[in-house]
Amino acid sequence: MTTSFPTTLQTQLFIDGVWQEATNSATFPVENPATNEIIARVADGGPEDAALALGAADRAQAEWSKSTPRERGDILRRAFELVTANTDRLAAIMTAEMGKPLAEARGEVAYGADMLRWFSEEAVRIGGDSAASLDGDTRIVVTKEPIGPCVLVTPWNFPLAMGARKIAPAVAAGCTMVFKPAALTPLTSLALVEIFREAGLPDGVLNVVTTSRASSVVDHWMSSGVARKVSFTGSTEVGKVLLEQAADNVMRCSMELGGNAPFIVLADADLEKAVEGAMTAKMRNMGEACTAANRFFVHRSVIEEFSGKFSKKMSELRVGNGASAGTDVGPLIDRKGVEKVESLVADAVSKGARVLTGASRPEGPGYFYTPTVLVDVALDSEVMSTEIFGPVAAILPFDSEEEVLRLANDTEWGLVGYVFTESMDKALRFTAELEVGMVGLNTGLVSNPAAPFGGVKQSGLGREGGKIGIEEFLEYKYTAIAV
Ligand code: NAP
Ligand code: MG
């Protein structure tokens, strides 16, 4: 059985509360990565559309800044309810344009919806501060204000959650937005924007420009001097381009960039937990996650048992169209994604790695790759220093804790690390010494709306979610009051 694809889709730009064609009427295609069919064409915005969108955000900001926390919280709450009520529809759109199995797509809808709910609750808790000045002549009062119009740019791998994670705190804080979703997965984002319109978000607060030429739209926003902040999720490479552009206008930056997560199994780990954690940390989203376990370091004394159990489970996964019942693993996002994974595996094998399972590309349409486990991977294999973004687990043995900590931290990235151990001492040591923004201790999943998501080193700047998520969209103002 294959779930049917919704027939009513938003495919236009959304500017100042109006769905509209691109100025030059251009469109670009959206492909289903499981079938290679073109499922829709969406408006292909350019610099003129970027200017219209930012103009609308700029004009709406003054009024939106005066909205009450309760109004903003209520809009987010309604959006949460609408997203939840539309779970099946949103999941079907996401699976069709991105490939993940429907069960995972529904999970992402629930996660994205929970972001909206979390920030509906945060909107009404924007605090301030007061203090006595040191000399006693003034009273210090600190208030928080929306930072102003924000540029939001999101990737294709979590088309709903990444948008929700940025729009929700911006709405809660009272910021207006211009939003460019990934060209590979625009339909889910447009459906989310329509839900915000239905939820009562005022015209001009959220404007969306889809485009096949990212820089022609985003460059305009970055150089305008009107946008005060950029919130980006995507590759470290593009993040650096935006950071340079942000410097010109001294914009605030939130950057959720790439990762190269170590997954460490210590000698005393509960191997059942470790294998279960490995399945989640590796295979969530077909491995196309910034949080995906990229390098498996397993203590030599347990590596054979761990690798055997893990590869058995990997080999049992059913690969297929994510819209079909019983599929565990969907296609990768595009041809480049499959070719990259293939070449990383070939490189590792040429340097001595053994394939325990997978390493093949099924025939027929779609960008499929079989779940793969490699052992005896050489340290200088490309797979060790490249974000795999696919269903490939590369396993290496280690002997000492010093050695594995050094290897784990030997990367320019620092998003997340996973550690499996039953010892309190080792758990404390590893959580302290891993150079990462997030640790999964005996778990393969860290994403949670109530937690500050983000990385250190070249994995990014700032955090999304948690208590501090809203702060990224707020500016502090301090008033000295003479007493
Ligand atoms: P990407 O190529 O960096 O694209 C991300 C977004 O930036 C897309 O909307 C893209 O538009 C846009 N973009 C590309 N070039 C641009 C430019 N010159 N100026 C302005 N915008 C530009 O990343 P991706 O391939 O979509 O996603 C995979 C990456 O995202 C991985 O590195 C992954 O680790 C990272 N990621 C990080 C997190 C996190 O929270 N840390 C979460 C998810 C993903 P187009 O769609 O038109 O290319
Ligand atoms: Mg890209």
Side-chain angles (χ1 to χ4, degrees):
M1 193 195 82
T2 303
T3 301
S4 64
F5 183 60
T7 46
T8 52
L9 289 173
Q10 298 300 338
T11 58
Q12 295 181 309
L13 313 179
F14 187 70
I15 299 175
D16 214 1
V18 180
W19 290 103
Q20 52 194 268
E21 292 298 323
T23 307
N24 65 0
S25 302
T27 61
F28 66 94
V30 181
E31 183 188 19
N32 180 331
T35 62
N36 301 141
E37 284 160 2
I38 303 302
I39 51 175
R41 297 193 66 90
V42 303
D44 197 355
E48 312 78 23
D49 305 295
L52 291 173
L54 188 60
D58 189 22
R59 285 191 305 280
Q61 182 63 67
E63 193 65 24
W64 183 235
S65 297
K66 296 193 200 100
S67 62
T68 68
R70 184 59 81 196
E71 284 163 358
R72 299 196 300 270
D74 284 349
I75 290 168
L76 285 165
R77 177 74 203 192
R78 283 195 294 276
F80 156 70
E81 280 161 10
L82 284 166
V83 166
T84 305
N86 280 281
T87 296
D88 287 345
R89 178 183 141 78
L90 290 166
I93 295 173
M94 206 188 309
T95 293
E97 69 176 349
M98 189 275 162
K100 71 184 72 187
L102 275 175
E104 283 197 54
R106 286 198 197 95
E108 182 178 339
V109 174
Y111 173 50
D114 235 5
M115 279 284 171
L116 305 178
R117 177 159 55 168
W118 174 264
F119 283 106
S120 77
E121 294 154 348
E122 291 297 282
V124 294
R125 315 224 186 290
I126 300 171
D129 204 2
S130 72
S133 68
L134 293 183
D135 50 16
D137 326 350
T138 57
R139 186 160 299 142
I140 294 168
V141 174
V142 182
T143 50
K144 297 183 190 177
E145 299 175 353
I147 194 164
C150 299
V151 174
L152 313 181
V153 181
T154 55
W156 49 263
N157 57 347
F158 293 97
L160 187 99
M162 297 301 104
R165 227 159 69 163
K166 298 185 188 313
I167 296 167
V171 168
C175 295
T176 63
M177 295 153 270
V178 286
F179 172 27
K180 193 212 84 64
L184 290 164
T185 57
L187 299 170
T188 310
S189 307
L190 295 173
L192 177 64
V193 168
E194 171 61 13
I195 281 175
F196 269 101
R197 193 190 63 74
E198 282 173 41
L201 194 68
D203 293 352
V205 172
L206 173 60
N207 307 277
V208 184
V209 179
T210 47
T211 180
S212 65
R213 297 157 292 152
S215 60
S216 73
V217 168
V218 180
D219 286 0
H220 174 87
W221 293 341
M222 295 300 291
S223 63
S224 64
V226 168
R228 293 305 329 138
K229 176 186 171 78
V230 57
S231 177
F232 172 76
T233 298
S235 61
T236 299
E237 186 191 356
V238 174
K240 287 179 184 177
V241 172
L242 294 178
L243 283 168
E244 276 186 34
Q245 293 177 337
D248 276 343
N249 288 305
V250 192
M251 291 164 70
R252 273 265 286 278
C253 297
S254 300
M255 294 279 148
E256 296 288 356
L257 309 178
N260 183 11
F263 186 102
I264 301 169
V265 182
L266 297 178
D268 68 353
D270 176 330
L271 287 190
E272 299 302 324
K273 274 189 219 164
V275 169
E276 195 185 316
M279 292 301 290
T280 308
K282 182 71 253 178
M283 292 308 292
R284 180 164 171 250
N285 223 38
M286 292 80 76
E288 294 170 317
C290 53
T291 50
N294 216 62
R295 300 169 293 154
F296 287 81
F297 299 113
V298 182
H299 193 268
R300 200 178 296 278
S301 63
V302 292
I303 194 166
E304 204 170 313
E305 188 180 351
F306 173 85
S307 306
K309 288 187 165 154
F310 180 37
S311 65
K312 179 164 186 295
K313 279 201 181 252
M314 289 282 274
S315 67
E316 287 164 1
L317 294 173
R318 277 164 301 180
V319 178
N321 187 330
S324 305
T327 295
D328 299 310
V329 184
L332 297 185
I333 188 68
D334 60 7
R335 186 173 310 282
K336 272 194 292 186
V338 185
E339 285 170 358
K340 174 182 174 187
V341 166
E342 240 183 356
S343 96
L344 288 173
V345 170
D347 171 76
V349 169
S350 78
K351 290 172 180 151
R354 277 188 300 128
V355 177
L356 291 190
T357 185
S360 67
R361 196 167 153 176
E363 291 273 313
Y367 305 119
F368 294 97
Y369 196 81
T370 51
T372 301
V373 178
L374 305 174
V375 289
D376 301 336
V377 177
L379 259 184
D380 65 346
S381 304
E382 284 167 26
V383 78
M384 287 287 117
S385 55
T386 310
E387 247 191 320
I388 302 170
F389 250 59
V392 176
I395 306 180
L396 278 79
F398 70 88
D399 294 297
S400 76
E401 290 175 22
E402 285 63 36
E403 177 194 5
V404 74
L405 274 166
R406 184 176 46 74
L407 291 171
N409 288 333
D410 183 20
T411 167
E412 69 268 29
W413 281 309
L415 189 61
V416 59
Y418 303 93
V419 182
F420 286 76
T421 175
E422 294 296 298
S423 142
M424 172 82 96
D425 280 356
K426 292 183 202 300
L428 291 175
R429 177 173 184 202
F430 275 76
T431 49
E433 293 195 22
L434 280 176
E435 297 168 359
V436 291
M438 304 179 284
V439 180
L441 179 59
N442 292 326
T443 175
L445 184 68
V446 294
S447 302
N448 190 298
F453 187 104
V456 301
K457 295 159 86 175
Q458 293 194 27
S459 285
L461 299 170
R463 296 293 183 270
E464 290 187 320
K467 282 192 205 131
I468 64 172
I470 194 169
E471 300 287 334
E472 302 268 332
F473 293 85
L474 291 167
E475 198 59 270
Y476 286 46
K477 181 180 279 172
Y478 143 60
T479 306
I481 304 174
V483 290

mmCIF file of all heavy atoms in Angstrom, residues 50-69:
data_model
loop_
_atom_site.group_PDB
_atom_site.id
_atom_site.type_symbol
_atom_site.label_atom_id
_atom_site.label_comp_id
_atom_site.label_asym_id
_atom_site.label_seq_id
_atom_site.Cartn_x
_atom_site.Cartn_y
_atom_site.Cartn_z
ATOM 1 N N ALA A 50 12.829 38.917 -3.395
ATOM 2 C CA ALA A 50 13.516 39.055 -2.107
ATOM 3 C C ALA A 50 13.261 40.457 -1.550
ATOM 4 O O ALA A 50 12.991 40.629 -0.352
ATOM 5 C CB ALA A 50 15.014 38.820 -2.287
ATOM 6 N N ALA A 51 13.319 41.459 -2.428
ATOM 7 C CA ALA A 51 13.122 42.846 -1.987
ATOM 8 C C ALA A 51 11.687 43.061 -1.502
ATOM 9 O O ALA A 51 11.463 43.708 -0.472
ATOM 10 C CB ALA A 51 13.450 43.805 -3.133
ATOM 11 N N LEU A 52 10.717 42.488 -2.233
ATOM 12 C CA LEU A 52 9.311 42.637 -1.809
ATOM 13 C C LEU A 52 9.108 41.996 -0.433
ATOM 14 O O LEU A 52 8.444 42.552 0.442
ATOM 15 C CB LEU A 52 8.384 41.967 -2.833
ATOM 16 C CG LEU A 52 8.289 42.640 -4.208
ATOM 17 C CD1 LEU A 52 7.466 41.768 -5.166
ATOM 18 C CD2 LEU A 52 7.667 44.033 -4.074
ATOM 19 N N ALA A 53 9.691 40.820 -0.258
ATOM 20 C CA ALA A 53 9.513 40.087 1.007
ATOM 21 C C ALA A 53 10.133 40.858 2.174
ATOM 22 O O ALA A 53 9.519 41.019 3.234
ATOM 23 C CB ALA A 53 10.129 38.699 0.894
ATOM 24 N N LEU A 54 11.340 41.349 1.966
ATOM 25 C CA LEU A 54 12.007 42.065 3.063
ATOM 26 C C LEU A 54 11.315 43.397 3.341
ATOM 27 O O LEU A 54 11.205 43.817 4.500
ATOM 28 C CB LEU A 54 13.495 42.276 2.736
ATOM 29 C CG LEU A 54 14.329 42.837 3.883
ATOM 30 C CD1 LEU A 54 14.311 41.902 5.099
ATOM 31 C CD2 LEU A 54 15.775 43.065 3.436
ATOM 32 N N GLY A 55 10.817 44.037 2.289
ATOM 33 C CA GLY A 55 10.058 45.283 2.477
ATOM 34 C C GLY A 55 8.844 45.033 3.368
ATOM 35 O O GLY A 55 8.549 45.811 4.288
ATOM 36 N N ALA A 56 8.153 43.938 3.111
ATOM 37 C CA ALA A 56 6.963 43.598 3.910
ATOM 38 C C ALA A 56 7.358 43.338 5.364
ATOM 39 O O ALA A 56 6.690 43.798 6.293
ATOM 40 C CB ALA A 56 6.272 42.376 3.313
ATOM 41 N N ALA A 57 8.451 42.599 5.557
ATOM 42 C CA ALA A 57 8.902 42.295 6.926
ATOM 43 C C ALA A 57 9.292 43.578 7.653
ATOM 44 O O ALA A 57 8.997 43.762 8.840
ATOM 45 C CB ALA A 57 10.080 41.322 6.884
ATOM 46 N N ASP A 58 9.949 44.464 6.933
ATOM 47 C CA ASP A 58 10.404 45.728 7.519
ATOM 48 C C ASP A 58 9.196 46.571 7.956
ATOM 49 O O ASP A 58 9.152 47.080 9.080
ATOM 50 C CB ASP A 58 11.239 46.468 6.457
ATOM 51 C CG ASP A 58 11.953 47.682 7.018
ATOM 52 O OD1 ASP A 58 12.163 47.725 8.260
ATOM 53 O OD2 ASP A 58 12.285 48.586 6.238
ATOM 54 N N ARG A 59 8.193 46.669 7.060
ATOM 55 C CA ARG A 59 7.015 47.489 7.390
ATOM 56 C C ARG A 59 6.220 46.887 8.548
ATOM 57 O O ARG A 59 5.634 47.611 9.347
ATOM 58 C CB ARG A 59 6.098 47.608 6.163
ATOM 59 C CG ARG A 59 6.609 48.561 5.095
ATOM 60 C CD ARG A 59 5.534 48.843 4.048
ATOM 61 N NE ARG A 59 4.984 47.637 3.439
ATOM 62 C CZ ARG A 59 5.580 46.949 2.451
ATOM 63 N NH1 ARG A 59 6.744 47.346 1.965
ATOM 64 N NH2 ARG A 59 5.016 45.862 1.956
ATOM 65 N N ALA A 60 6.189 45.562 8.620
ATOM 66 C CA ALA A 60 5.366 44.906 9.654
ATOM 67 C C ALA A 60 6.023 44.943 11.037
ATOM 68 O O ALA A 60 5.352 44.754 12.050
ATOM 69 C CB ALA A 60 5.092 43.450 9.258
ATOM 70 N N GLN A 61 7.336 45.183 11.082
ATOM 71 C CA GLN A 61 8.057 45.013 12.355
ATOM 72 C C GLN A 61 7.543 45.941 13.470
ATOM 73 O O GLN A 61 7.369 45.514 14.607
ATOM 74 C CB GLN A 61 9.569 45.204 12.149
ATOM 75 C CG GLN A 61 10.398 44.992 13.412
ATOM 76 C CD GLN A 61 10.309 43.564 13.965
ATOM 77 O OE1 GLN A 61 10.763 42.626 13.355
ATOM 78 N NE2 GLN A 61 9.676 43.413 15.127
ATOM 79 N N ALA A 62 7.303 47.215 13.156
ATOM 80 C CA ALA A 62 6.944 48.170 14.214
ATOM 81 C C ALA A 62 5.660 47.735 14.919
ATOM 82 O O ALA A 62 5.584 47.691 16.161
ATOM 83 C CB ALA A 62 6.781 49.568 13.622
ATOM 84 N N GLU A 63 4.646 47.381 14.126
ATOM 85 C CA GLU A 63 3.360 46.974 14.689
ATOM 86 C C GLU A 63 3.494 45.640 15.448
ATOM 87 O O GLU A 63 2.965 45.464 16.546
ATOM 88 C CB GLU A 63 2.383 46.818 13.506
ATOM 89 C CG GLU A 63 0.932 46.710 13.858
ATOM 90 C CD GLU A 63 0.392 47.980 14.498
ATOM 91 O OE1 GLU A 63 0.988 49.069 14.265
ATOM 92 O OE2 GLU A 63 -0.588 47.861 15.256
ATOM 93 N N TRP A 64 4.235 44.719 14.834
ATOM 94 C CA TRP A 64 4.409 43.371 15.431
ATOM 95 C C TRP A 64 5.167 43.464 16.750
ATOM 96 O O TRP A 64 4.910 42.708 17.681
ATOM 97 C CB TRP A 64 5.114 42.479 14.418
ATOM 98 C CG TRP A 64 5.328 41.049 14.818
ATOM 99 C CD1 TRP A 64 6.524 40.381 14.841
ATOM 100 C CD2 TRP A 64 4.338 40.094 15.226
ATOM 101 N NE1 TRP A 64 6.340 39.084 15.234
ATOM 102 C CE2 TRP A 64 5.008 38.880 15.482
ATOM 103 C CE3 TRP A 64 2.952 40.141 15.412
ATOM 104 C CZ2 TRP A 64 4.342 37.727 15.907
ATOM 105 C CZ3 TRP A 64 2.298 38.991 15.846
ATOM 106 C CH2 TRP A 64 2.985 37.815 16.075
ATOM 107 N N SER A 65 6.087 44.412 16.855
ATOM 108 C CA SER A 65 6.823 44.603 18.121
ATOM 109 C C SER A 65 5.871 44.977 19.249
ATOM 110 O O SER A 65 6.159 44.720 20.412
ATOM 111 C CB SER A 65 7.842 45.749 18.003
ATOM 112 O OG SER A 65 8.810 45.455 17.054
ATOM 113 N N LYS A 66 4.742 45.600 18.889
ATOM 114 C CA LYS A 66 3.790 46.047 19.925
ATOM 115 C C LYS A 66 2.771 44.971 20.261
ATOM 116 O O LYS A 66 1.948 45.160 21.154
ATOM 117 C CB LYS A 66 3.045 47.297 19.449
ATOM 118 C CG LYS A 66 3.955 48.502 19.240
ATOM 119 C CD LYS A 66 3.136 49.770 19.089
ATOM 120 C CE LYS A 66 3.931 50.865 18.400
ATOM 121 N NZ LYS A 66 3.595 50.996 16.976
ATOM 122 N N SER A 67 2.774 43.851 19.531
ATOM 123 C CA SER A 67 1.833 42.775 19.859
ATOM 124 C C SER A 67 2.138 42.284 21.268
ATOM 125 O O SER A 67 3.264 42.398 21.754
ATOM 126 C CB SER A 67 1.977 41.621 18.853
ATOM 127 O OG SER A 67 3.291 41.091 18.935
ATOM 128 N N THR A 68 1.117 41.735 21.917
ATOM 129 C CA THR A 68 1.347 41.307 23.300
ATOM 130 C C THR A 68 1.894 39.881 23.328
ATOM 131 O O THR A 68 1.637 39.091 22.407
ATOM 132 C CB THR A 68 0.043 41.344 24.123
ATOM 133 O OG1 THR A 68 -0.830 40.318 23.613
ATOM 134 C CG2 THR A 68 -0.638 42.703 24.026
ATOM 135 N N PRO A 69 2.615 39.558 24.369
ATOM 136 C CA PRO A 69 3.108 38.172 24.501
ATOM 137 C C PRO A 69 1.964 37.164 24.414
ATOM 138 O O PRO A 69 2.110 36.102 23.804
ATOM 139 C CB PRO A 69 3.755 38.160 25.888
ATOM 140 C CG PRO A 69 4.204 39.565 26.093
ATOM 141 C CD PRO A 69 3.148 40.417 25.430
#
